[in-house]
Amino acid sequence: MEAHPLVPIGACLLYGLLMVAGQAYFRTREPLRARTSLAAWNLFLALFSLVGMLRTFPQLVHNLATLTLRENLCANPQATYGSGSTGLWVQLFILSKFPELIDTVFIIVNKKKLIFLHWYHHITVLLYCWHSYVTKSPPGIFFVVMNYTVHASMYGYYFLMAIRARPRWLNPMIVTTMQISQMVVGVAVTLLGFYYSARAADHQSCRIKRENNTAAFVMYGSYLFLFLQFFVGRYVGTQSPVASKKTA
């Protein structure tokens, strides 16, 4: 992955071109109503994310119990989460950002509204995750566990919606609140990263790379703003809450 930095860039460019072409193609055509395929896809991603969370969360708990917060955010990730089953599921998490682009296909073929937050999130998270992995970002385990957890719930919700089996108590506001909480923690982790890296005597004492942490701060900060905007537009006001569109 270090030797092929153009792969994620090429994937994002192709994604953008196909997204524009797909919308143009279906502009004058009927939606496909691919509900069965959508349900199967969401179920697959929900189960994948659940397993990923179960395989990475124990490592994060172990790290927090045995290392200081500074060590968790600054230590060599090859020692804290980059090996064994955790290392495997971290890598699978990074690679999963490519097939997750298929989410957009279902929005386009079903002629649903494609909001900026959706495609902006998919592009930026793919680029950031690839860069974090090849630069061995120390705080990566925090972001991986959070995203696996939120995606397990989010895609599970979408699956229930696709098969029309959502229980009354499962309000879409819950999913959006989880997404916003993830962004708040993400911003907090990046701010701590700036603090610890600024106080470090050298690179070896804190392996956070400023360009990667800056990208994370901008990314999570923009997500937080956009998700809050989405939350207010969707749930605050006179309109009744409706099912949340895919945004992450």
Side-chain angles (χ1 to χ4, degrees):
M1 291 172 69
E2 288 178 338
H4 298 86
L6 294 180
V7 170
I9 297 174
C12 289
L13 290 175
L14 181 60
Y15 169 74
L17 289 172
L18 292 177
M19 181 173 61
V20 173
Q23 287 182 299
Y25 178 82
F26 278 95
R27 189 167 293 123
T28 57
R29 290 171 172 79
E30 292 296 316
L32 295 185
R33 309 295 184 190
R35 182 173 292 274
T36 301
S37 299
L38 177 62
W41 178 244
N42 286 327
L43 178 60
F44 166 73
L45 289 180
L47 294 176
F48 170 78
S49 299
L50 178 61
V51 175
M53 184 269 289
L54 294 174
R55 300 304 294 174
T56 56
F57 179 71
Q59 183 67 53
L60 177 60
V61 173
H62 172 76
N63 292 348
L64 290 172
T66 58
L67 302 171
T68 65
L69 182 58
R70 182 188 181 283
E71 289 171 331
N72 272 279
L73 295 178
C74 289
N76 186 348
Q78 290 177 305
T80 56
Y81 69 85
S83 61
S85 63
T86 301
L88 170 64
W89 281 92
V90 167
Q91 185 182 56
L92 291 176
F93 170 81
I94 303 301
L95 296 176
S96 71
K97 299 310 165 188
F98 289 92
E100 280 182 10
L101 299 177
I102 296 174
D103 287 353
T104 312
V105 173
F106 289 104
I107 292 179
I108 291 175
V109 301
N110 288 317
K111 297 190 73 170
K112 301 296 184 180
K113 183 179 180 181
L114 183 60
I115 62 176
F116 170 76
L117 174 56
H118 174 91
W119 60 263
Y120 168 74
H121 172 271
H122 273 299
I123 289 176
T124 52
V125 78
L126 190 158
L127 295 173
Y128 171 74
C129 285
W130 185 284
H131 186 267
S132 295
Y133 192 70
V134 299
T135 58
K136 303 178 179 64
S137 172
I141 185 76
F142 287 87
F143 304 144
V144 169
V145 171
M146 285 195 301
N147 202 246
Y148 266 143
T149 303
V150 172
H151 276 198
S153 304
M154 184 187 75
Y155 284 112
Y157 171 84
Y158 293 147
F159 167 69
L160 294 175
M161 287 293 295
I163 64 173
R164 295 188 174 94
R166 178 178 70 87
R168 286 181 176 271
W169 59 265
L170 187 55
N171 193 299
M173 190 183 298
I174 297 174
V175 177
T176 308
T177 301
M178 291 180 65
Q179 293 168 327
I180 292 173
S181 300
Q182 177 187 359
M183 307 316 162
V184 171
V185 176
V187 170
V189 169
T190 59
L191 289 175
L192 284 171
F194 284 126
Y195 173 75
Y196 287 129
S197 61
R199 291 173 60 88
D202 54 41
H203 173 69
Q204 293 302 317
S205 61
C206 189
R207 293 174 175 265
I208 293 177
K209 290 182 170 56
R210 179 168 292 275
E211 67 273 15
N212 181 263
N213 202 55
T214 301
F217 176 75
V218 172
M219 183 183 71
Y220 275 108
S222 62
Y223 292 170
L224 179 58
F225 171 80
L226 291 169
F227 271 101
L228 286 172
Q229 185 182 59
F230 177 84
F231 185 92
V232 171
R234 177 71 55 167
Y235 306 117
V236 179
T238 56
Q239 292 184 349
S240 60
V242 295
S244 171
K245 287 184 173 62
K246 290 186 175 182
T247 55

